[in-house]
């Protein structure tokens, strides 16, 4: 007991704890670089566990910044980052929200750098893990989110279809990924699942982004574009400035409703707030802007108003 107390008061541990407390509480490229340097301090891993184990929410957020930086190093090395991420989610007792936020961003990064989660995980291994634990849930999130980024809607459907009987609803983010697949394949049962997910966790932006993505990808779903705008207006995303991805989806929804001027404003706002490294989203926004301009020109040539509610809105 005395040895443990001395260990907990080790000068290196105290220095690492203090350095973590000084980190920004929000993950950015700059905070990741700072956190990456802190991992070289003595007792850094113990300090991260300490931060994640405290009741202080701000300190806990800083702990997850450290975790992201650690897993980012694994991604850069080409090693199996999925188990590293899941291991830290387990050590930190991550909630489903924390798991969704950590794995969602890391899965996107790994895919962009050529080390997709699909290189390390398959259906059999993920299905065998327990999504009721932070470790298993982290694997599910990493795997299914990557399938979403790859637009593999059928693969997600087949994953859920292959689960043992009795496994019903999962955490809201996992259910949102299932709804994404249904919506992306224009399956109307996805709308019912979406409604249930929003009722459970419509205040979580990772959930909303997954649902928006499914609505954007699907075709000829009832009130499709209007539902996208409704999600943006009623979710946590509406409480502050929309990020570039949400603005990109908003522009697409407005274009479908033939509201071209607000659509152009939304896509320009998306471009304006992009980080320099977000080249994929930039290309998506440029394509969306071209579509808006082309459709606006076609309507002008046809003598139709450049901006109108559209048949979908009128049918609400």
């Amino acid at each position: 007991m005395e040895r443990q107390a001395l260990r907990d008061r080790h000068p290196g541990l105290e220095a690492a704890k203090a350095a973590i407390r000084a980190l920004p509480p929000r993950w950015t490229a700059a905070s990741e670089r700072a956190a990456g340097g802190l991992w070289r301090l003595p007792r850094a891993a113990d300090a991260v566990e300490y931060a994640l184990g405290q009741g202080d929410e701000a300190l806990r957020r800083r702990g997850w910044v450290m975790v992201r930086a650690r897993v980012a190093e694994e991604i850069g090395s080409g090693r199996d980052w999925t188990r590293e991420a899941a291991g830290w989610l387990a050590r930190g007792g991550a909630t489903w929200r924390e798991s969704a936020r950590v794995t969602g961003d890391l899965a996107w990064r790994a895919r962009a750098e050529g080390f997709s989660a699909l290189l390390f995980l398959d259906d059999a291994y993920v299905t065998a893990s327990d999504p009721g634990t932070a470790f298993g849930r982290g694997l599910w999130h990493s795997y299914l989110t990557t399938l979403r980024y790859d637009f593999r809607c059928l693969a997600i459907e087949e994953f859920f279809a292959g689960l043992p009987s009795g496994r019903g609803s999962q955490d809201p983010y996992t259910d949102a990924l299932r709804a994404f697949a249904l919506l992306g394949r224009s399956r109307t049962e996805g709308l019912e699942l979406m409604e249930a997910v929003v009722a459970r966790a419509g205040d979580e932006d990772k959930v909303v982004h997954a649902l928006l993505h499914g609505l954007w990808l699907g075709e000829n779903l009832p009130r499709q574009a209007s539902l996208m705008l409704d999600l943006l207006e009623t979710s946590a995303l509406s409480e502050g400035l929309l990020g570039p991805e949400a603005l990109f989806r908003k522009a697409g929804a407005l274009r479908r409703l033939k509201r071209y001027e607000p659509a152009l404003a939304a896509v320009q706002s998306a471009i304006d707030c992009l980080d320099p490294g977000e080249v994929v989203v930039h290309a998506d926004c440029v394509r969306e802007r071209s579509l808006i301009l082309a459709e606006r020109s076609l309507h002008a040539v046809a003598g139709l108003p450049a901006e109108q509610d559209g048949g979908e809105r009128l049918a609400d």
Side-chain angles (χ1 to χ4, degrees):
M1 186 73 74
E2 183 178 347
R3 181 176 298 179
Q4 181 63 43
L6 290 172
R7 176 180 169 82
D8 290 343
R9 292 195 299 271
H10 188 282
L13 177 60
E14 293 306 313
K17 287 179 182 178
I20 291 173
R21 287 192 186 96
L23 280 173
R26 180 172 168 269
W27 182 88
T28 63
S31 66
E32 180 187 310
R33 285 193 292 273
L38 298 188
W39 276 103
R40 288 154 182 79
L41 294 175
R43 305 290 300 279
D46 291 333
V48 173
E49 284 203 50
Y50 170 84
L52 294 175
Q54 302 307 298
D56 184 339
E57 187 61 30
L59 182 58
R60 189 170 172 86
R61 287 199 300 270
R62 289 171 169 85
W64 292 124
V65 170
M66 289 290 292
V67 169
R68 291 184 191 210
R70 176 71 189 92
V71 179
E73 288 189 0
E74 292 294 287
I75 292 171
S77 73
R79 292 189 290 268
D80 182 359
W81 62 270
T82 62
R83 288 170 178 78
E84 181 74 11
W88 275 104
L89 291 168
R91 290 166 78 173
T95 65
W96 71 264
R97 292 178 188 271
E98 291 168 332
S99 180
R101 293 166 187 170
V102 170
T103 60
D105 295 338
L106 290 170
W108 176 264
R109 180 188 189 127
R111 179 176 175 273
E113 294 187 14
F115 299 108
S116 164
L118 305 185
L119 295 175
F120 309 106
L121 300 173
D122 59 23
D123 268 15
Y125 182 79
V126 176
T127 301
S129 62
D130 182 2
T133 67
F135 185 91
R137 185 168 55 236
L139 294 180
W140 278 50
H141 286 174
S142 294
Y143 181 67
L144 293 169
T145 300
T146 302
L147 290 176
R148 174 197 152 203
Y149 291 152
D150 282 355
F151 290 52
R152 300 192 187 192
C153 299
L154 180 59
I156 295 175
E157 278 201 67
E158 290 176 341
F159 173 85
F160 284 102
L163 293 177
S165 59
R167 275 194 179 178
S169 178
Q170 305 296 331
D171 69 89
Y173 182 60
T174 300
D175 282 347
L177 292 169
R178 186 175 189 176
F180 156 79
L182 294 169
L183 294 168
R185 297 191 69 210
S186 307
R187 303 270 297 275
T188 55
E189 56 262 50
L191 296 172
E192 183 178 347
L193 180 56
M194 180 186 77
E195 185 178 345
V197 170
V198 169
R200 293 171 65 197
D203 60 340
E204 173 54 50
D205 64 345
K206 291 298 184 186
V207 166
V208 175
H209 277 301
L211 298 174
L212 282 171
H213 193 185
L215 285 170
W216 173 83
L217 185 59
E219 298 178 19
N220 301 318
L221 290 166
R223 300 185 63 245
Q224 188 168 346
S226 299
L227 287 171
M228 292 176 69
L229 295 179
D230 289 345
L231 275 175
L232 288 166
E233 290 169 2
T234 60
S235 70
L237 299 178
S238 66
E239 295 174 4
L241 292 176
L242 297 180
E245 184 182 344
L247 286 165
F248 166 69
R249 307 288 184 211
K250 181 177 183 179
L254 290 167
R255 172 175 55 80
R256 294 184 189 200
L257 294 171
K258 303 178 177 60
R259 298 170 60 189
Y260 299 120
E261 300 311 318
L264 283 171
V267 78
Q268 188 58 56
S269 295
I271 292 171
D272 290 342
C273 67
L274 281 169
D275 289 334
E278 294 183 283
V279 293
V280 175
V281 181
H282 183 275
D284 288 340
C285 288
V286 170
R287 282 192 293 271
E288 180 59 44
R289 186 175 185 276
S290 298
L291 285 171
I292 296 167
L293 291 172
E295 290 190 18
R296 186 180 69 174
S297 295
L298 286 172
H299 275 74
V301 169
L304 297 173
E307 184 174 334
Q308 60 188 38
D309 280 343
E312 178 185 337
R313 177 67 76 179
L314 296 174
D316 287 355

